[in-house]
Amino acid sequence: MKFQELFNMQAQLDSFIQQNQHIDRDVFLEKGLALTIELAELANETRCFKYWSTKGPSEREVLLEEFVDSIHFLLSLGNEKGYRLNAWPEMKKKENLTTWFLKTQEAILSFIHDPSEDHYLKVWEYYSVLAYNLGFTLDDIIQAYIEKNEKNYERQRNGY
Ligand SMILES: O=c1ccn([C@H]2C[C@H](O)[C@@H](COP(=O)(O)OP(=O)(O)OP(=O)(O)O)O2)c(=O)[nH]1
């Protein structure tokens, strides 16, 4: 599966959710807030900022699932605005996770307040750096995305 195809998978999932939940209004801001929360959930699972604790990060699978929750909302926001990426922005840059989470949060907020294509692409670049620093390859991300996408359908079908 190619990265670009995730935009179509996301569009299908989103319309299924919207029909299932009878949503006929614009939910761009809700998705934007959801993205900031998914980012925070990921940061929380890495525990990168918890200088007060000696407990290590959650298991890789947990981190990857949190990561692809963000990817769902990021794809969805792009679909809402008609923005697509032609390819995964490969960004192999070593960064301090805490600093990078804060920068990513800032990039998301800039996009929500001014949803330009440039701002959108920037958010992807920040996520790519996060992926690199968390040790996730594009294949890992696509695989985990497909699994979570299916879980999201099941949750809807089961009256989540
Ligand atoms: O329009 C939407 C709404 C939601 N999702 C997906 C994204 C994400 O993968 C999931 C929501 O995140 P999560 O599974 O963390 O949901 P939650 O309700 O916060 O779960 P929990 O109650 O288990 O924390 O739903 C979409 O793809 N499109």
Side-chain angles (χ1 to χ4, degrees):
M1 163 106 39
K2 284 196 187 128
F3 167 70
Q4 301 93 297
E5 292 169 38
L6 302 188
F7 283 92
N8 290 333
M9 281 184 76
Q10 186 63 46
Q12 284 166 18
L13 173 60
D14 284 349
S15 56
F16 183 78
I17 292 174
Q18 296 218 10
Q19 279 173 29
N20 199 40
Q21 302 290 347
H22 312 291
I23 306 297
D24 53 11
R25 62 194 163 86
D26 179 34
V27 287
F28 180 81
L29 288 179
E30 282 83 349
K31 287 178 182 177
L33 177 60
L35 180 56
T36 64
I37 288 167
E38 294 300 348
L39 179 75
E41 287 182 358
L42 174 63
N44 206 39
E45 297 294 343
T46 68
R47 305 180 66 82
C48 66
F49 57 96
K50 301 199 176 193
Y51 60 85
W52 57 86
S53 163
T54 49
K55 207 167 133 188
S58 296
E59 283 173 18
R60 182 183 154 82
E61 277 215 354
V62 173
L63 298 180
L64 195 47
E65 181 170 340
E66 294 295 355
F67 188 87
V68 298
D69 279 336
S70 278
I71 296 302
H72 276 74
F73 286 114
L74 193 44
L75 290 164
S76 188
L77 287 162
N79 282 335
E80 290 240 0
K81 296 291 169 198
Y83 304 149
R84 286 199 169 195
L85 269 74
N86 296 322
W88 171 254
E90 199 70 59
M91 304 280 289
K92 296 189 171 174
K93 194 167 139 180
K94 272 264 163 236
E95 280 296 339
N96 171 278
L97 272 180
T98 298
T99 308
W100 212 253
F101 274 117
L102 288 169
K103 282 184 186 278
T104 308
Q105 190 178 50
E106 224 176 311
I108 294 170
L109 293 176
S110 296
F111 171 67
I112 297 169
H113 296 308
D114 171 11
S116 69
E117 193 163 12
D118 275 2
H119 280 155
Y120 184 62
L121 298 180
K122 266 270 160 280
V123 179
W124 276 106
E125 289 177 5
Y126 280 100
Y127 268 93
S128 177
V129 174
L130 280 178
Y132 178 67
N133 284 276
L134 291 167
F136 302 152
T137 66
L138 178 56
D139 283 349
D140 294 334
I141 293 164
I142 292 175
Q143 188 55 42
Y145 175 86
I146 293 169
E147 281 166 24
K148 184 63 191 253
N149 186 285
E150 187 47 46
K151 191 165 159 184
N152 281 324
Y153 277 104
E154 275 163 31
R155 283 175 154 192
Q156 291 295 319
R157 290 188 198 107
N158 297 333
Y160 166 74

